[in-house]
Amino acid sequence: MMENSYKKRMQRKKEHIDSRIEEANIDKGIVVLLTGNGKGKSSSAMGMICRALGYEMKVALVRFLKGEQQTGEDLFLDSNPNVVSAHMESGFTWNTQDQELDKKLANETWLEAEKFLADPEINLVVLDEITYMINYNYLDEKSILKALSNRPEGQHVVITGRAATEGIIEASDTVSEVKDVKHAFRANIRAQKGIDL
C-alpha cells in the first residue's frame, strides 16, 4: 500500500516537472548573481567556468579583488586556451589602503571587462567581486548595467560579491544568496589549499 502511494506521488511530481520543462522554451544568455555574506560565491562561479569549458565554450574571467597569492583555479585556468582573464592588480583594498589607486585599477579592469562583454566569441563572462567596486563607488553602476544590457544575445554572465545593489539584482535572471552559518576562519583555521586557495 505504501509503495503504491509513493509511486502515485512520484508520478504526479514527474508530470509537474515535465510540464515545467516543456514551458521553459526560451534560449538566451542569462545573468547569474551570487551574493550574500557566505563562502562559496566565487567557487560556484569557478564551477560554472568548468561546466562551460566542458562544452568547449570560451570564457572570460575578470577578478576585481585578488590578493597576491595565486589560487588553485588560477593555476588550472591559466593554461586553458579557451580562457581569457583580467585581474585588478592592486589586490585587496584593505592591503593597498590607497583609494585613488584602487579606483584607477578598478576602472582599468572594467575597461577589459567591457571588451569581453561586447565580444560575441565569448560565451561566459565572470565578474568576480564586482559588487564591491560598485559599493565603494569605484565603478559606475549605470555603465555596468548598460554593458550587461548591450552584451551579445547568447552571452552568459556570472556576477559575484556581497551586498549586491538593487540595480544588479534587477538585471539578473537568477539570484542566489549565500548565507554564512559557520566559517573555519573564525575558529582560527587558516585558508587551506584546494578549499580556500
Side-chain angles (χ1 to χ4, degrees):
M1 188 74 166
M2 284 282 278
E3 190 175 318
N4 196 22
S5 172
Y6 174 79
K7 186 172 183 176
K8 284 181 181 177
R9 195 169 75 242
M10 289 301 109
Q11 284 173 338
R12 283 194 306 271
K13 187 171 190 164
K14 181 180 179 346
E15 286 170 12
H16 172 73
I17 291 170
D18 287 348
S19 72
R20 290 294 297 128
I21 290 171
E22 196 169 318
E23 288 171 23
N25 58 6
I26 300 168
D27 286 319
K28 68 176 241 129
I30 63 169
V31 177
V32 176
L33 171 62
L34 304 166
T35 193
N37 65 352
K39 175 181 168 34
K41 299 178 292 292
S42 296
S43 298
S44 178
M46 296 306 138
M48 284 185 257
I49 288 175
C50 290
R51 183 174 287 165
L53 292 174
Y55 289 107
E56 299 293 323
M57 297 168 85
K58 189 155 185 185
V59 175
L61 171 59
V62 184
R63 286 199 166 152
F64 285 92
L65 287 181
K66 185 180 188 318
E68 293 177 6
Q69 190 169 26
Q70 198 171 41
T71 64
E73 56 264 27
D74 293 329
L75 296 167
F76 181 71
L77 296 174
D78 280 350
S79 61
N80 191 303
N82 281 342
V83 178
V84 292
S85 62
H87 302 294
M88 187 171 144
E89 294 300 321
S90 65
F92 298 115
T93 52
W94 56 85
N95 285 335
T96 62
Q97 300 175 18
D98 186 336
Q99 187 177 33
E100 286 309 307
L101 175 63
D102 288 342
K103 191 171 185 176
K104 175 181 176 288
L105 293 173
N107 277 280
E108 288 173 6
T109 306
W110 171 244
L111 290 175
E112 291 301 308
E114 277 186 312
K115 291 177 193 170
F116 297 149
L117 289 165
D119 186 345
E121 298 297 312
I122 297 177
N123 306 104
L124 172 66
V125 178
V126 174
L127 303 173
D128 191 36
E129 309 288 16
I130 197 170
T131 61
Y132 288 96
M133 302 300 104
I134 297 167
N135 290 322
Y136 294 166
N137 294 314
Y138 290 177
L139 297 179
D140 176 43
E141 183 183 38
K142 287 181 185 167
S143 297
I144 295 166
L145 294 173
K146 183 178 178 184
L148 290 173
S149 173
N150 293 333
R151 74 190 195 282
E153 188 178 338
Q155 188 182 78
H156 305 294
V157 178
V158 178
I159 297 170
T160 73
R162 294 175 181 223
T165 61
E166 283 303 315
I168 294 294
I169 292 170
E170 184 64 32
S172 301
D173 299 289
T174 298
V175 179
S176 293
E177 185 172 4
V178 181
K179 182 180 174 185
D180 180 21
V181 176
K182 188 176 182 180
H183 199 296
F185 186 67
R186 287 196 294 279
N188 295 327
I189 300 170
R190 72 178 82 199
Q192 301 294 305
K193 281 184 181 178
I195 300 297
D196 303 296
L197 306 172

